[in-house]
Amino acid sequence: MSNYNVPSELRYSENHEWVRSLGGNKYRVGLSDYAAQHIGDVTFVELPEVGSEVDKESVECVVETVKSSEDIYNQISGTVSAVNDSLEDNSEVVNSDCYGDGWLYEITADGDEDFNSLMTAEEYEKYLAEMED
Amino acid sequence: MRYLPITEREKKEMLEKIGVSSIKELFAPVPGEIMLKEKLNLPESKSEMEIEHYMSDLAKKNTGSEMLSFLGGGAYRHYSPSVVDQLLLRGEFFTAYTPYQPEVSQGTLQTIFEFQTMMANLFKMDVANASMYDGSTAAAEAVLMAAKINKKRTKVVIASTMHPQYIETVKTYTGFLVDEIVLMEMDPDTGKTDEKELSKIDDSTICVLFQYPNYFGAIEDCDLISAKAKEQGALVIPVIAEGTSLGILKAPGEFDADIAVGEGQAFGLPLHFGGPGLGIFTCKEKYVRKMPGRLVGKTLDRNGNECFVLTLSAREQHIKREKATSNICTNQGLMATAASMYLAAMGKEGLKKVALMNLKRASYLKDNIEAKTNCKTAFSGHIYNEFAILSPKDGEETLNALKKEGVLGGIPVKKYYPELSSMIIVNTTEIHSYKDIDRFVSILAKVTGGES
Amino acid sequence: MSYPGMTDLKLKEQTIFERSRPGREGFSLPEEDLSSAEKLLPENFKRKELDLPELSEIDVVRHYTRLSTYNFSIDHGFYPLGSCTMKYNPKINEKMARMSGFANLHPEAPEDTAQGTLKMMYEMQNMLSEIGGFAATTLNPSAGAHGEYVGLGIIRSYFDKIGDTKRKKIIIPDSAHGTNPASCTLNGFEVVLLESNEKGKVCVDCLKSMLNDEIAGIMLTNPNTLGVFESDIIEITKAVHDAGALVYGDGANMNAILGVARPGDMGIDVLHYNLHKTFSTPHGGGGPGAGPVGVCEKLVDFLPDPLVVKDGDKYAFRNLPDSMGRVRAFYGNMGVTLRAFVYLLEYGRDHIAEIAENAVLNANYIKACLKDIYHLKYKSDTLHEVVFDDSNLENGVTTMDLAKALIDRGFHPPTVYFPLIVPGAIMIEPTETESKETLDSFIEAMRNIYETAKSDPQNILKAPLNTAVSRPDETLAARKPVLTYCKEGD
């Protein structure tokens, strides 16, 4: 077991993003506990535009700390259907509540292939354990 | 050598500690084939007195610096209270570097924070950065920033009445990054941007760049240009090349500018043949994270004391590297410090008074040139401290004749626009007495065959 | 203790806006009735209000004098900021730059009335070309990063001219300054990263495998940001040239080889100097700098507008046929250039090599005196600077803590956390203008911090204790930016 919280219902990417299926090919995206603990204090999040079409692996979102600027690689191709506006005044929730209020944006996809291709919680835990070695 | 304190004896001790027998050994990693075998071909070393002689001989050859001058065109000579240069000579300011360690840089940090505030207030914009190289590069970087904000658009529209060197600089910086740079032509009567040309602003326009007062001295109709740009969703970027004009003129924020830039040399900084100047960069708060350059912010230290620190660095090259908004690192810190001191000493009354003195002198000079010489005012637009005249013969010839009489009468526009061969741009500021102006007019009358 | 330590004259100072009192003035202008001037402009051209502070002269003097005392500067003491070359800034530079003949010369003054400054520019172009081993030098760029922009613009223009437009990539080692990749992007180049080898140098075979007909060039700093000289430089530049690409040199570290070796002789095609580093002009709290660019023969025609040439016994401006264009208004930071010119006049041909020699001696002395306790990630020989890291510091004391503890001991900290390839980097560049006793006291302070980290880590973790402020909250500053002064209640 790793030292990180890895909710079992989510899928994960190698860049430590999580994706939650909201049903009807809608997905919510955020940063995993591992990322939230390692990135440093988040000071600002640049969010994508609602309505914009996004591809898998494109950079639609940037998370800033005092000393870094991290590109977030989008994992689900589709259309951005919502963004977490509350981060504008409250970017620290990306650190403090990464699976809850600290979510980043939502996507409406054409299908579920992208989602299914991501790591399951079990696989991600294994991935984290290997990384920590 | 007075700047090298290590003595021969110390050198030996140090080499011993390092474990080598000579300094040459320390250069062992440099391949022998590229080590210089002979001394460089430079002048012989000079003592302080010899340097002073050499430099004063050079300075004397700059006869232009001592002549009665009416040169403007992006560089302006103004009165600067003595306190400015005296304070600037404090080594604590000029021999410090970028305030990377806030605990030992609060002097620089607070000064820059105050500079940002002064610029924001003067431009009536939300935020200003710590400075750019000069007005022209600030304008170029403003276009680059606008292109990041309006990233789906492809065209940049520039008023052709902007300083020609600013236009060239913007073209160098952005020419190969945007699809199209379009110039809006001048109205030959007013010297302002032709209203009809505003139709060149369309829904593919990233931004509209214009200077006021413009290169020919005319004050652009800012409200009109801004309204047209807003209608098309283009960003409004005014450029102020003569900082003191803001002592009286409408500020960029008052016509809803999105980004506003300028040159702050007019805030009492020496001319120095055109540099160092002071690039001013301001914008709306919502765009601050796309802004180039350094920013100082207020915060609290760990004991709860208010203090200042460099902030929003995640925009900058040392963090963003190839994804940075700009590559700027060193800016014009000391010039920003000088401008702050100038504005602190002048205050709101002083700057307003300077602006009015400039207006009054320019108007007086213009009227007298019209009345007493064979030159004519070129345009009807309102002016601040600069305007264009038409000489009865080639402008450069007139200027050469003036020069023989010890007067630098203005800039020959032909230098940039060969078709405007008789046009001269004349500037006057508060450093001219009315006697100086009368003398200029009488010599101009003499060389152009008018009343003297 | 023999190091300076720190005690402050801490006079508290409010912002200049709080000092303001309505009705005060700090200027002296002729009495004049300006009521007629008010009417010269229509109301809709005029601003509604002007918000600037109102102060008498003594307020201005006290304000800035007090603020100045919150700064550490070279005039105070040792400032070993690696990669920044914080050498002493001679006072005669300031005196010469303030001569009216130079300071009051207008950039549009006719050339025949500006022969003094033009001659200075011409001689400076030639001196810098000689120092770097180049065919020509432009004085236009306003800072190092501006020089990089120009240098890469010259490369871009060169490939455009010869029609080799496929070359859109620049190779940059991972130890490079952040300005390098940013300057590439600004010129439309894509960056390809080159990893350093175990010696902290360019891996020549890796480089060779990366070269192809899409590579426009490589950007190198030599010595690199670890202070390590790329001893394979001849092989490197030859390989790059053979592949049809060009070599850009970042001159940030010219102080290591000034008068000893020349970038041009190493096969570097274009290089920017930093006059505010190598040539002693003041850093001014962050500029103005100047970043002249030297180029080899085949790149001369692409230099930005304008260059100073000598025509008979007259000096004049000239634009070159294939110029990359204009990169700023007028001709560059001539006030800065002039200071560097004065500096070179004083050293001259006879003493210039002593600059690098003493700089390299001082850096190696510090290294020799600290390497038994501070960890060196790269063991290679170094020239003008040395990069330690914090891995030998105990009890959780980091590079940041060490930096703050140095402040308490009376020194400006070195550059920290750069280069990025050394985690916890402590980058020390003493320069040639420091005396042995200054170096010794710095060494003593560094050793004291190392020991104190073991015996009394709290002393280090709480540092700095003797400054007006201690460890500002940078996260707060970035989350809720306050970038301008607002009156209470606004």
Side-chain angles (χ1 to χ4, degrees), chain B residues 27-35 37, chain C residues 229-234 261:
Chain B
F27 286 94
V30 183
E33 58 190 302
I34 52 172
M35 286 291 281
K37 310 290 178 293
Chain C
F229 192 87
E230 301 284 358
S231 33
D232 300 320
I233 186 68
I234 301 289

Side-chain angles (χ1 to χ4, degrees), chain B residues 202-224:
Chain B
D202 59 23
D203 62 4
S204 69
T205 305
I206 296 166
C207 60
V208 181
L209 210 60
F210 63 98
Q211 179 184 322
Y212 78 99
N214 69 26
Y215 185 66
F216 302 94
I219 303 167
E220 294 283 354
D221 197 336
C222 304
D223 292 306
L224 193 73

Side-chain angles (χ1 to χ4, degrees), chain B residues 124 172 302 322 331 415 434, chain C residues 32 49 108 185 286 462:
Chain B
K124 288 248 157 234
T172 306
R302 66 170 163 194
E322 69 271 16
N331 49 44
K415 197 169 159 182
Y434 290 96
Chain C
E32 185 172 343
E49 42 129 25
E108 293 280 10
T185 307
K462 279 190 193 144

Side-chain angles (χ1 to χ4, degrees), chain B residues 195-437:
Chain B
E195 274 186 50
K196 292 194 287 289
E197 293 283 303
L198 295 176
S199 64
K200 289 179 174 167
I201 305 168
D202 59 23
D203 62 4
S204 69
T205 305
I206 296 166
C207 60
V208 181
L209 210 60
F210 63 98
Q211 179 184 322
Y212 78 99
N214 69 26
Y215 185 66
F216 302 94
I219 303 167
E220 294 283 354
D221 197 336
C222 304
D223 292 306
L224 193 73
I225 299 174
S226 176
K228 177 68 188 177
K230 298 274 156 177
E231 198 182 293
Q232 297 294 334
L235 297 178
V236 175
I237 310 180
V239 180
I240 317 268
E242 177 20 308
T244 68
S245 68
L246 286 179
I248 185 81
L249 294 187
K250 184 175 258 189
E254 292 179 301
F255 51 87
D256 200 26
D258 297 289
I259 304 170
V261 297
E263 170 57 62
Q265 179 274 331
F267 298 133
L269 308 186
L271 290 167
H272 257 305
F273 210 41
L278 170 65
I280 300 167
F281 201 108
T282 69
C283 70
K284 286 185 172 168
E285 189 161 19
K286 64 176 170 182
Y287 299 130
V288 68
R289 294 190 190 254
K290 296 216 158 43
M291 194 181 207
R294 295 216 163 97
L295 286 164
V296 173
K298 192 157 98 168
T299 187
L300 299 173
D301 80 348
R302 66 170 163 194
N303 303 316
N305 296 315
E306 280 194 354
C307 60
F308 303 94
V309 68
L310 287 173
T311 193
L312 301 187
S313 307
R315 299 163 297 119
E316 293 182 68
Q317 45 76 22
H318 60 279
I319 291 176
K320 272 228 154 112
R321 299 179 80 88
E322 69 271 16
K323 290 182 199 119
T325 319
S326 161
N327 73 339
I328 193 166
C329 178
T330 292
N331 49 44
Q332 304 284 106
L334 197 66
M335 302 293 106
T337 304
S340 301
M341 290 166 176
Y342 169 87
L343 290 169
M346 298 304 286
K348 80 182 201 190
E349 283 312 312
L351 193 68
K352 170 120 194 240
K353 200 168 175 194
V354 162
L356 291 172
M357 288 171 81
N358 280 255
L359 265 175
K360 193 176 166 189
R361 277 161 180 70
S363 164
Y364 178 82
L365 176 58
K366 194 171 141 185
D367 291 348
N368 277 282
I369 288 177
E370 277 283 348
K372 297 182 180 163
T373 77
N374 274 332
C375 297
K376 288 198 169 17
T377 308
F379 306 114
S380 63
H382 288 286
I383 59 161
Y384 172 60
N385 66 6
E386 202 160 15
F387 55 95
I389 59 171
L390 298 170
S391 141
K393 50 190 170 189
D394 180 272
E396 205 156 19
E397 259 179 64
T398 300
L399 290 169
N400 282 335
L402 285 166
K403 192 169 68 186
K404 286 204 185 93
E405 304 282 340
V407 176
L408 296 177
I411 300 167
V413 174
K414 165 167 113 164
K415 197 169 159 182
Y416 302 105
Y417 300 96
E419 68 279 14
L420 302 175
S421 63
S422 69
M423 196 182 287
I424 296 168
I425 294 174
V426 182
N427 161 270
T428 174
T429 73
E430 76 284 358
I431 62 156
H432 294 133
S433 65
Y434 290 96
K435 225 169 103 188
D436 291 335
I437 295 175

Side-chain angles (χ1 to χ4, degrees), chain C residues 373-392:
Chain C
I373 52 173
Y374 283 93
H375 181 251
L376 282 167
K377 182 174 173 194
Y378 296 100
K379 309 281 186 278
S380 302
D381 288 340
T382 47
L383 295 183
H384 68 303
E385 64 193 1
V386 54
V387 181
F388 294 109
D389 63 45
D390 56 2
S391 53
N392 287 354

